[in-house]
Amino acid sequence: MTQPTLTLLFDPLCGWCYAAQPGLDALAQNLDVQWHLLPTGLFAGDGGQTMTTTKREYFWSNDQRIEQLTGQVFSQAYYDDVLSDFTSRFDSWLPTKAWYLITEQQPAAGLEVLHAIQQLRYVAGRQSGDIEALADVAEKYGLERESFLISLQGPTPPALTEAISQARQLMQSHRVGGVPTLLLETASGSGIVPNQMLYHEPTQLIGAIQSALQNDHQSAQNNP
């Protein structure tokens, strides 16, 4: 029987991915399932953009909604030093690559590393292109700083390109256009975990997935 898997499609600069972190942590702590994290590159490269006053206020308004809904912190430093910096580009490529390089060495820490990189932006107020801040996270997870910085600024690992391609194929096959997207795969097939469940008290989210896993187990027993 296939072990149940939760696949998270994400972008480290997505505010709603950051909003989902408490729910995702609760799932990781309470469910015995495999995890598969795939970066989508949604806001990387051509998907990035330069900040403007209008965009700043739009993002900040949205972020305040997220904070009220989930309790996730969006600091004044983030507003002052990230959203109000109209010279730096909103581009998730380096955070995405940093996440990949760190989790390549620490594969069990995918969610933790993602959260640490998200906190650089939303709590510490560091820009997405701040390679020294990303290196701080890498060091925390045991990577040698200079080697990490060389890799971060070097060629793109083919496996990262493949992961992004796989994420986009899943988005297309499940007909979703945004992140986060959480997929539950069991022996019976795969489906999308409703996004709204990620942002509320996690007991309901855990219970819903446990129920789906139990139904799948019973189905497997009835149809050996």
Side-chain angles (χ1 to χ4, degrees):
M1 178 179 174
T2 302
Q3 183 173 357
T5 300
L6 284 170
T7 297
L8 176 67
L9 310 181
F10 71 92
D11 188 289
L13 296 195
C14 163
W16 286 104
C17 294
Y18 175 59
Q21 196 66 38
L24 296 173
D25 284 346
L27 290 178
Q29 293 165 14
N30 289 279
L31 295 179
D32 182 21
V33 298
Q34 289 185 338
W35 281 84
H36 191 199
L37 274 64
L38 289 172
T40 62
L42 199 61
F43 304 125
D46 292 341
Q49 54 189 290
T50 301
M51 290 301 299
T52 65
T53 302
T54 301
K55 290 177 184 177
R56 177 187 65 187
E57 298 311 315
Y58 171 78
F59 281 132
W60 185 244
S61 175
N62 196 49
D63 294 337
Q64 295 310 290
R65 285 179 50 224
I66 292 173
E67 185 167 342
Q68 292 175 3
L69 182 64
T70 67
Q72 290 288 80
V73 173
F74 293 85
S75 71
Q76 190 64 41
Y78 160 65
Y79 182 86
D80 292 340
D81 299 331
V82 176
L83 293 184
S84 300
D85 181 355
F86 303 143
T87 64
S88 296
R89 185 172 169 78
F90 175 85
D91 188 330
S92 66
W93 177 242
L94 284 177
T96 297
K97 192 174 180 183
W99 176 86
Y100 170 81
L101 293 171
I102 298 169
T103 56
E104 187 181 33
Q105 301 298 316
Q106 300 288 348
L111 283 175
E112 288 183 26
V113 174
L114 175 58
H115 196 197
I117 290 174
Q118 289 167 332
Q119 286 182 313
L120 290 179
R121 175 179 178 83
Y122 297 116
V123 180
R126 307 294 286 269
Q127 279 289 355
S128 57
D130 189 334
I131 62 174
E132 297 298 334
L134 294 169
D136 289 342
V137 176
E139 279 194 313
K140 176 182 176 183
Y141 287 93
L143 278 69
E144 198 278 322
R145 188 180 191 92
E146 292 307 317
S147 296
F148 169 80
L149 286 170
I150 290 170
S151 296
L152 184 63
Q153 298 170 89
T156 300
L160 174 55
T161 302
E162 175 58 31
I164 292 172
S165 176
Q166 184 181 355
R168 292 181 177 181
Q169 288 172 8
L170 284 171
M171 291 179 72
Q172 183 175 13
S173 64
H174 287 276
R175 298 181 181 180
V176 293
V179 290
T181 294
L182 185 64
L183 305 172
L184 174 63
E185 181 179 2
T186 67
S188 301
S190 65
I192 300 172
V193 177
N195 260 24
Q196 64 270 22
M197 297 183 70
L198 296 174
Y199 308 123
H200 298 284
E201 212 289 325
T203 303
Q204 182 183 6
L205 173 63
I206 295 167
I209 294 181
Q210 286 177 329
S211 178
L213 295 177
Q214 184 177 13
N215 290 340
D216 183 74
H217 180 68
Q218 290 176 345
S219 177
Q221 288 183 322
N222 294 333
N223 299 281

